[in-house]
Amino acid sequence: MDLEKQPQKPVAPAEPAPAPPAPAAPGGSLRASDADRDRIADILRDALAEGRLDAEEHSERIDAVYRAKTVGELEPIVRDLPAGSGVRREPEHSYSYGPDDASGPADNLIAVFSSTTRKGRWRVGRRTNAFALFGNIEIDLTEALFAQRLTTINATSIFGNVEVRVPENISLRGNGTGVFGNFEVVNLEAADPQAPVVVINGYSVFGNVEAKPKRGKWITDLQERLRKHLGH
């Protein structure tokens, strides 16, 4: 007896495999800030001065810097240059300071109808008194050696000018008054809680007291530089 063929049941189509989870956004997708662009421009400027780039290459890369929207677009522009990996620099070590000695003598900088400058590689005292009378005082800490964590600068300006410049990776704080003058301190907080702290106190009368970070200047080897400076 012939068996009747049973009808075949249609096979259900296979369900599509679930889509893999979207990868996390890479760090390079972080939006670039003006400070990020300016820092890369500083690296390019140094490379031009050192002869690593010619004028045409420098111009092309500068254009790319200010067109960049993210940190990831900035990094390749200086990848083949010294400090090129430093688009976003983070502290890599703890700082080392000497013993606290609040009784030590203060450094005194005085400019009366004159100009006084302290800059370059020098050891910063715990306290500095700066007095300008119809004069100008410039204090540049961007290459200085900090033997202590807290440095206090007492600035007085009478018909004069006191300017303080610090590197970008320290903390900067201020407390003062301007009387028919200007007292301006750009507050700055370092990412590393052990980084040096510079406090500006004082006042100006028909004068100017100003303290702010110097763009592109970073202290990255305080401990080693201090040891060499002291001859250890």
Side-chain angles (χ1 to χ4, degrees):
M1 180 176 62
D2 294 334
L3 296 176
E4 296 182 357
K5 294 182 180 180
Q6 299 296 324
Q8 298 288 329
K9 292 184 178 181
V11 179
E15 295 183 359
S29 64
L30 181 69
R31 298 286 292 190
S33 67
D34 288 340
D36 290 328
R37 296 185 185 90
D38 289 342
R39 193 168 301 125
I40 296 301
D42 287 339
I43 295 173
L44 294 175
R45 180 200 60 208
D46 292 341
L48 176 64
E50 295 167 359
R52 300 178 189 275
L53 297 175
D54 60 30
E56 184 177 354
E57 290 173 318
H58 177 264
S59 177
E60 291 174 353
R61 296 196 189 196
I62 284 292
D63 289 343
V65 166
Y66 290 103
R67 287 197 308 266
K69 300 297 184 183
T70 68
V71 172
E73 294 173 350
L74 288 174
E75 290 173 344
I77 298 173
V78 293
R79 186 170 292 159
D80 58 344
L81 299 174
S85 60
V87 176
R88 289 171 292 163
R89 304 180 210 185
E90 300 293 338
E92 298 178 354
H93 64 272
S94 297
Y95 300 114
S96 177
Y97 303 110
D100 290 334
D101 182 16
S103 62
D107 293 333
N108 295 308
L109 300 176
I110 300 173
V112 178
F113 291 96
S114 63
S115 178
T116 299
T117 301
R118 182 67 63 86
K119 63 191 300 184
R121 184 166 296 187
W122 57 291
R123 187 175 180 182
V124 181
R126 186 172 301 279
R127 291 179 295 123
T128 297
N129 299 322
F131 177 78
L133 174 63
F134 290 99
N136 181 73
I137 296 176
E138 179 186 356
I139 303 174
D140 190 334
L141 302 176
T142 57
E143 296 182 13
L145 303 170
F146 290 84
Q148 66 285 323
R149 180 167 181 262
L150 176 62
T151 297
T152 302
I153 298 177
N154 299 312
T156 302
S157 173
I158 302 175
F159 291 97
N161 184 56
V162 177
E163 295 183 8
V164 181
R165 296 293 180 265
V166 303
E168 289 187 286
N169 58 335
I170 75 167
S171 294
L172 176 63
R173 299 163 190 165
N175 181 33
T177 304
V179 180
F180 294 105
N182 178 58
F183 183 95
E184 181 181 0
V185 175
V186 177
N187 288 331
L188 185 69
E189 289 298 326
D192 189 335
Q194 296 302 315
V197 177
V198 176
V199 177
I200 312 295
N201 298 319
Y203 63 92
S204 66
V205 179
F206 290 100
N208 178 65
V209 173
E210 180 184 273
K212 63 183 181 180
K214 194 170 183 178
R215 182 166 291 167
K217 291 294 184 179
W218 295 68
I219 290 182
T220 57
D221 58 348
L222 282 176
Q223 187 172 356
E224 181 65 22
R225 286 167 57 182
L226 181 59
R227 183 164 54 248
K228 291 180 179 179
H229 182 75
L230 299 178
H232 297 310

